[in-house]
Amino acid sequence: GAGVSQSPSNKVTEKGKDVELRCDPISGHTALYWYRQRLGQGLEFLIYFQGNSAPDKSGLPSDRFSAERTGESVSTLTIQRTQQEDSAVYLCASSEAGQGYEQYFGPGTRLTVT
Amino acid sequence: DQQVKQNSPSLSVQEGRISILNCDYTNSMFDYFLWYKKYPAEGPTFLISISSIKDKNEDGRFTVFLNKSAKHLSLHIVPSQPGDSAVYFCAASAAGGTSYGKLTFGQGTILTVHP
């Protein structure tokens, strides 16, 4: 079956511009997660959705970052006024209800801020 | 504050031998641990997990050991195969509340298995 998909796969943007990253989770997965991986580092948790609600936004690094999810499906991560330190691979994962630990990851979006 | 640490950035092993990847954690609230494998340009893939009520979990060539008193876990791959070459991430989670599902990852260990 179809896995988690993310778009775009690569995004190059100028400092100060806004970007939107999209995640399509596995159909039927009610939980959705966003992570960030900077070069040479581990994955850093950003935000967690259960259905369309985000009970845990503790990882969002600043108020320039926001995310939403609609229809218990697609999620969009928006970064406003991008900075060079935002350059990273942004990974989305989804899981079944009650199976929150075994998360299935998408291929990621590589964001480069110039 | 790095709550999950993989102190070996890389490991090189001969095909057929054992690969041992190590992971240490500091947060005593963690009660579930996972290993993920990642190939270049792909997302991490779940490999194996262990609950804190166990000290060992085995799945084919992969075995995870948990030492709660030492806050240490390890992944053993026996026998290692060239296709196992990838980055391996250790991750941990604490059940309950708003942290449910939130994974804290280590920095990863690059495993290279030589034919």
Side-chain angles (χ1 to χ4, degrees):
Chain A
V4 177
S5 61
Q6 292 184 245
S7 60
S9 55
N10 279 284
K11 176 73 177 177
V12 180
T13 190
E14 291 181 355
K15 178 181 171 181
K17 301 278 190 184
D18 298 352
V19 294
E20 280 190 358
L21 312 179
R22 177 186 168 109
C23 171
D24 285 85
I26 292 173
S27 178
H29 279 191
T30 60
L32 185 146
Y33 313 82
W34 284 97
Y35 294 87
R36 174 171 75 173
Q37 185 182 17
R38 288 172 160 158
L39 190 63
Q41 298 186 21
L43 280 72
E44 175 189 3
F45 170 81
L46 297 178
I47 188 169
Y48 154 58
F49 286 92
Q50 181 58 46
N52 295 331
S53 301
D56 191 349
K57 305 179 183 180
S58 62
L60 293 178
S62 75
D63 59 7
R64 296 187 296 105
F65 287 71
S66 63
E68 66 174 14
R69 189 180 184 196
T70 56
E72 298 197 359
S73 180
V74 173
S75 177
T76 303
L77 177 70
T78 301
I79 309 173
Q80 295 179 309
R81 305 180 304 281
T82 52
Q83 304 294 313
Q84 287 186 332
E85 63 262 27
D86 299 334
S87 296
V89 176
Y90 289 82
L91 290 151
C92 174
S94 69
S95 68
E96 297 178 20
Q99 296 292 327
Y101 302 124
E102 295 177 13
Q103 299 174 18
Y104 297 83
F105 282 82
T109 293
R110 180 175 297 279
L111 175 66
T112 304
V113 182
T114 61
Chain B
D1 176 30
Q2 193 74 27
Q3 296 187 61
V4 178
K5 296 181 184 179
Q6 294 176 254
N7 292 317
S8 297
S10 63
L11 175 67
S12 183
V13 172
Q14 201 71 30
E15 180 178 9
R17 307 295 287 266
I18 184 171
S19 295
I20 300 177
L21 298 104
N22 293 302
C23 178
D24 296 292
Y25 62 97
T26 57
N27 188 341
S28 57
M29 298 300 292
F30 288 147
D31 60 357
Y32 202 84
F33 304 90
L34 307 88
W35 285 93
Y36 278 82
K37 174 179 174 180
K38 186 180 184 301
Y39 293 118
E42 295 183 13
T45 303
F46 170 74
L47 197 55
I48 192 169
S49 62
I50 188 167
S51 163
S52 60
I53 63 173
K54 295 185 176 181
D55 56 17
K56 176 183 175 180
N57 189 26
E58 194 171 353
D59 183 2
R61 298 185 297 113
F62 302 91
T63 303
V64 56
F65 295 92
L66 175 63
N67 182 333
K68 282 182 62 179
S69 60
K71 292 191 175 69
H72 176 84
L73 64 155
S74 61
L75 174 68
H76 293 209
I77 307 173
V78 183
S80 302
Q81 299 173 354
D84 296 330
S85 298
V87 180
Y88 288 78
F89 290 98
C90 170
S93 184
T98 60
S99 65
Y100 181 78
K102 171 182 174 179
L103 294 178
T104 301
F105 282 84
Q107 308 97 306
T109 297
I110 301 170
L111 173 66
T112 304
V113 181
H114 298 283

